[in-house]
Amino acid sequence: MAVTQTAHLIATQPRRSVVAASWTALGALLLRDAVVLNKHLWEFVLRTLIQPFLLCFVFLFVFPKIGQGIGGHGDAAESAFATILVPGVVGISVMFQGVQSIALAMAQEFGFTREIEDRVQAPCPIWLVAAEKVISGTLQGLLSAAIVLPIASVVHAGGVHAQLALHWGIIVTLVPLAAVAMSGLGLLLGTSFEPRNIGLMFGFIILPITFLGGTYYSFDRLAPVRLGGVHWLQVLVLANPLIYVNEGMRAAFTAGPHLHLYVIYPVLVGFAALFLGLGLRNFRRRVLS
Amino acid sequence: MGPSRSDTSALAPPGGRRREAVIWTEQLQKRYPGAEAPAVDHLDLEVFAGEIFGLLGPNGAGKTTTAGMLTTRVVPSGGRAEVGGVDVTRHPALAKQLSGIVSQQNTLDRQLSVWENLYFHGRLFGMGGRRSRQRADELLEQFQLARWATASVYALSGGMAQRLMVARAIFHEPAVLFLDEPTAGLDPQSRLVLWDLLGELNAEGQTILLTTHYMEEADQLCARVAIMDHGRLLALDTPTALKQSVGADTVLTLKAAGDAEALREKMAGALTGVTGSRSIEGGAQLQVRGAERLVPRAVAAAEALGVDLIDLSVAEPSLETVFINLTGKELRD
Ligand SMILES: Nc1ncnc2c1ncn2[C@@H]1O[C@H](COP(=O)(O)OP(=O)(O)OP(=O)(O)O)[C@@H](O)[C@H]1O
Ligand SMILES: [Mg+2]
C-alpha cells in the first residue's frame, strides 16, 4: 500500500497549542468546581463542621461536665487534652475534605454517571484532569481548616481552654502541604476502589487512619504502650500519614510537644508524592482502555 | 485491501471530486488485554470533510472501540489513526481539540444546570466568558431546550438529554462530531427530531461519524456506510451502492406452515431470477432480480407446489439484506 504524506489533505487543524489549551482548560475546570461549591456552600460548611463539632462537644464539653474528662480531672488536665484535640480536629477535617471532595466525587463520576468520560475529553493531557481535582480538593481542605479551627477552639465546657499559639510560618506552609497530601490520598482512594466498594474503603482505610492518626492523642503520649521495650504502637502509627498531619497541626497551632518538623515536612512531602504518583497512574488506567 | 492514502478517489463519494480526509486510519487495531479476538482488526477508513459517515454493525462489532480510538479514549494496539491530520496516539491532547463526542451513556454534568453544561464546555475549550454565554443561549434556542436552561439535567427526558449532549459536543466547532449509537433507547419521535438535527448540522458543513446498529439510521442519514462485524470492515460504500451490490431488486418474504427449509428450497427452485435465499422463522426469504408480476408469480408457484401460504410480502433490499449476505446472520438479534 503506497503511503504518501503529501496526498493526505488536512481538514481542520487544532487552533491552539496544547500548553495554551491546557491552561484555559485547567482554569475552566477550577471555575466549574468553584461554581458547584458555591451552589452547595451551606452543605459544604455543615458537612465540614459536623464532625469537628461533635468531637469537641463530646470530648471537651460533655465529658468534663459529667466528670469523665480525658487527661485526668480538673480544668488544667482537661485543658491540656483540649490543646491536643483541637489541632487534631483540624487535621482530621483536612483529611476528610480530601476524601469527600475527591474520592467520593470520583466514585460517582467513574460509577453510574460516567461523567468522567466527558471530563477527560477536555483538550489537555489526562493527568491534568486528575491534577485539577487535587488542586480543587486542596483549596477546599484549606477552606475547611479555616472554618474548623475557630469552631473547635470555642466549643468547650467552662473552665476548659485549649492553649493555642499560632506559628504563622508553619501554618502557611504546613497546612497547604497537609491539604495536598490528603487530597492525594483522596485521589488514590477514589481511583483504587470500585464505586460499589466505597463502604469497604471507609471501614478498612478511613476508620483505622482516623483512630490511629493521633487525633485524640499526641505521638509522645503513646510511649507507654510497649511490649518488651518496643514502643510498638508508636512504630505502627508512623506508617499513618495522618499522624504527620496532626502533629504538624500541633506544631502550627500550639506550643505543645510534637514530632520534629524535620521529620514532618519531608515525610509529608514523601506521602504527597507517593499518593499523587499512584493516584495519577490509577486515574489514567481507569480512564483509558 | 482498504483505501490507500495516496488514492482517495476510489472511495470518494459520488460527485467525483476528491475531498479532504478528516479521519484517516491505517491498519488500526485494538486487542483488549485478556481478549482472545481483537475488538478492531486492521481497519482502514477514511472519512471526508462534510459527510455523515456511518459505522454499522451488530453488538460487539467494534464500533465503540473504533470511535474510542479516534477520540483518544482507547489506546490502539497497532496501526495508525489521524483526526484532522493529528496522530491520535502521539498527540491525544491536540486531537481532542478537534473532536466533539456524544457517547453511548449520558455523561452530562449532574452538578450543573442545562445552560451551565454548555457554558462550561465552551470555557473548557478556550472560549471566553462572553462568547460562551452567547453560544450557550443560541444553541439552547436552536436545539429547542431554551425552556430548560436553568433546569437540572436530571429533569431532562432521554431525547432532550441526547440533544443537549449533541449541542455540547458541537459547541467548540469540532472538525468531527462523533456520535455513538445516538438514537439507541430513544422513542421514534425523539429519533426523528435528532435525525433532523443531525441533517441540519451536516447541511451547515459539520462532518459526522456515527455508529449505529439501526440500518434505517445508516440508510437515511449517511453519505457512506462502513459495515463492520467482529472488528473487521466488511463493506464500505454509499447506502445505494451497497444495496445495489446485493444484485437483487426485491426481497420476497413468504410465511407458510410446515418446514421452513423445505419451503425455501421449493420456492427458490420454482421462481426465476432468485439470486439468494434463506429460511427464516416460519418461512423463507428470497432475493429476486426482475420484480415484474412477482407477487402473482409467487402465489401461482406456491399453489402449484401445494404450499399453504400464510403471508407474503415484498420489499426493496435494505442494508439489512446487505449485512445478511455478508455475514449470514441478521443485524438485529
Ligand atoms: N473495556 C473493554 N475491555 C475488554 N473488552 C472490551 C472492552 N470494551 C469492549 N470490549 C470488547 O470488544 C468488542 C467490541 O466492543 P465494542 O464496544 O467496540 O462493540 P460495539 O460495536 O460498540 O457494540 P455495541 O453495539 O454493543 O455497543 C466486544 O467483544 C467487547 O466485549
Ligand atoms: Mg458500542
Side-chain angles (χ1 to χ4, degrees):
Chain A
M1 170 183 286
V3 175
T4 52
Q5 197 69 41
T6 43
H8 180 49
L9 300 171
I10 288 165
T12 308
Q13 286 169 323
R15 296 189 185 99
R16 297 170 303 145
S17 73
V18 171
V19 175
S22 297
W23 275 112
T24 47
L26 176 64
L29 289 169
L30 286 170
L31 182 64
R32 178 260 174 206
D33 283 353
V35 165
V36 170
L37 179 66
N38 188 45
K39 281 188 186 187
H40 306 286
L41 198 56
W42 278 109
E43 204 183 304
F44 171 84
V45 170
L46 292 177
R47 188 187 77 195
T48 304
L49 285 181
I50 186 76
Q51 188 188 32
F53 176 81
L54 286 174
L55 284 173
C56 293
F57 177 70
V58 171
F59 289 133
L60 303 182
F61 181 81
V62 177
F63 277 20
K65 284 268 185 218
I66 62 177
Q68 205 175 298
I70 300 176
H73 285 292
D75 286 353
E78 281 155 2
S79 293
F81 175 64
T83 309
I84 284 175
L85 185 67
V86 169
V89 162
V90 177
I92 206 175
S93 302
V94 170
M95 184 188 99
F96 266 85
Q97 202 54 97
V99 174
Q100 293 259 11
S101 65
I102 304 188
L104 293 189
M106 279 198 174
Q108 179 186 332
E109 289 174 12
F110 274 121
F112 75 104
T113 71
R114 301 301 300 173
E115 281 163 71
I116 203 76
E117 298 199 359
D118 174 64
R119 222 56 55 72
V120 298
Q121 285 162 17
C124 61
I126 282 176
W127 63 262
L128 192 65
V129 177
E132 184 276 335
K133 286 270 168 227
V134 173
I135 295 173
S136 145
T138 299
L139 295 174
Q140 292 181 44
L142 293 178
L143 195 56
S144 61
I147 55 181
V148 164
L149 183 66
I151 299 291
S153 43
V154 299
V155 180
H156 304 158
V160 178
H161 293 290
Q163 309 292 312
L164 297 188
L166 304 184
H167 303 100
W168 283 104
I170 305 177
I171 292 174
V172 299
T173 51
L174 197 126
V175 182
L177 176 59
V180 171
M182 294 299 100
S183 295
L185 177 66
L187 178 68
L188 179 58
L189 293 176
T191 53
S192 305
F193 282 82
E194 289 293 323
R196 66 194 143 82
N197 289 338
I198 286 298
L200 283 182
M201 178 187 92
F202 270 94
F204 287 91
I205 310 272
I206 306 297
L207 272 186
I209 286 183
T210 51
F211 278 92
L212 298 173
T215 301
Y216 320 104
Y217 41 81
S218 61
F219 180 76
D220 65 307
R221 295 288 190 96
L222 293 179
V225 185
R226 59 173 177 242
L227 197 69
V230 179
H231 302 281
W232 64 270
L233 190 55
Q234 278 190 326
V235 173
L236 184 72
V237 299
L238 284 180
N240 185 344
L242 186 60
I243 196 92
Y244 303 94
V245 171
N246 284 333
E247 291 286 299
M249 297 298 170
R250 286 188 183 109
F253 298 123
T254 72
H258 54 79
L259 279 174
H260 207 292
L261 287 174
Y262 289 130
V263 174
I264 294 175
Y265 278 99
V267 173
L268 272 184
V269 169
F271 269 119
L274 180 73
F275 293 153
L276 290 176
L278 292 176
L280 291 177
R281 190 201 60 167
N282 282 357
F283 185 81
R284 225 187 121 71
R285 283 192 187 165
R286 289 284 293 268
V287 169
L288 296 180
S289 48
Chain B
M1 209 63 207
S4 103
R5 214 180 198 196
S6 54
D7 178 21
T8 57
S9 56
L11 282 167
R17 193 171 63 84
R18 185 132 115 189
R19 294 164 72 179
E20 302 173 71
V22 189
I23 293 174
W24 172 85
T25 74
E26 180 184 67
Q27 300 289 296
L28 190 61
Q29 258 190 93
K30 177 64 186 181
R31 186 187 286 271
Y32 287 105
E36 41 207 85
V40 172
D41 199 1
H42 295 96
L43 190 67
D44 290 313
L45 275 187
E46 222 163 358
V47 175
F48 301 109
E51 73 176 334
I52 303 189
F53 187 93
L55 282 179
L56 178 68
N59 289 131
K63 306 178 299 286
T64 300
T65 304
T66 303
M69 286 191 279
L70 293 171
T71 55
T72 77
R73 276 287 318 284
V74 177
V75 183
S77 2
R80 290 178 56 197
E82 290 181 3
V83 172
V86 177
D87 188 307
V88 296
T89 318
R90 268 182 272 172
H91 307 291
L94 209 52
K96 284 191 273 187
Q97 284 187 38
L98 300 172
S99 314
I101 306 169
V102 178
S103 56
Q104 234 168 331
Q105 303 101 336
N106 177 346
T107 60
L108 293 170
D109 192 331
R110 311 296 203 273
Q111 309 281 336
L112 299 178
S113 72
V114 168
W115 185 88
E116 285 168 337
N117 260 279
L118 294 183
Y119 174 77
F120 283 105
H121 184 90
R123 301 301 302 266
L124 195 59
F125 279 78
M127 293 184 177
R130 236 178 80 210
R131 195 148 157 250
S132 294
R133 225 167 284 139
Q134 220 170 28
R135 188 151 164 80
D137 291 339
E138 283 167 15
L139 282 177
L140 284 185
E141 206 61 58
Q142 185 186 343
F143 283 64
Q144 290 154 30
L145 289 166
R147 278 183 51 212
W148 302 87
T150 55
S152 148
V153 295
Y154 286 109
L156 300 183
S157 71
M160 293 193 290
Q162 195 70 348
R163 289 212 298 278
L164 182 58
M165 295 223 291
V166 176
R168 184 177 66 174
I170 60 154
F171 200 94
H172 58 286
E173 298 172 340
V176 192
L177 170 62
F178 291 90
L179 298 144
D180 196 1
E181 310 254 1
T183 59
L186 293 192
D187 57 75
Q189 174 80 26
S190 307
R191 179 172 307 161
L192 287 179
V193 172
L194 195 67
W195 284 1
D196 282 347
L197 208 62
L198 296 179
E200 279 168 32
L201 290 173
N202 181 246
E204 293 163 14
Q206 179 70 57
T207 309
I208 299 175
L209 181 139
L210 70 86
T211 79
T212 184
H213 61 269
Y214 292 119
M215 49 137 188
E216 302 94 338
E217 186 161 283
D219 200 350
Q220 292 241 339
L221 277 180
C222 299
R224 291 187 309 141
V225 175
I227 298 182
M228 284 184 84
D229 195 24
H230 298 303
R232 275 190 296 271
L233 185 64
L234 301 179
L236 193 165
D237 217 322
T238 62
T240 315
L242 285 171
K243 286 183 284 186
Q244 280 168 358
S245 74
V246 167
D249 44 37
T250 308
V251 176
L252 177 69
T253 306
L254 305 157
K255 296 264 165 107
D259 181 30
E261 184 49 36
L263 173 73
R264 182 195 68 78
E265 218 178 295
K266 281 193 268 184
M267 290 301 293
L271 284 169
T272 53
V274 174
T275 59
S277 64
R278 64 189 194 106
S279 52
I280 56 173
E281 207 180 301
Q285 211 166 52
L286 310 181
Q287 294 170 17
V288 188
R289 193 207 308 265
E292 295 97 68
R293 299 187 23 83
L294 181 58
V295 173
R297 278 197 286 139
V299 172
E303 239 145 57
L305 291 164
V307 172
D308 196 4
L309 277 184
I310 298 169
D311 188 33
L312 177 150
S313 63
V314 290
E316 284 180 13
S318 65
L319 291 179
E320 177 92 33
T321 322
V322 180
F323 188 80
I324 288 166
N325 284 2
L326 287 168
T327 65
K329 61 179 185 186
E330 282 173 48
L331 197 50
R332 268 181 280 190
D333 327 283

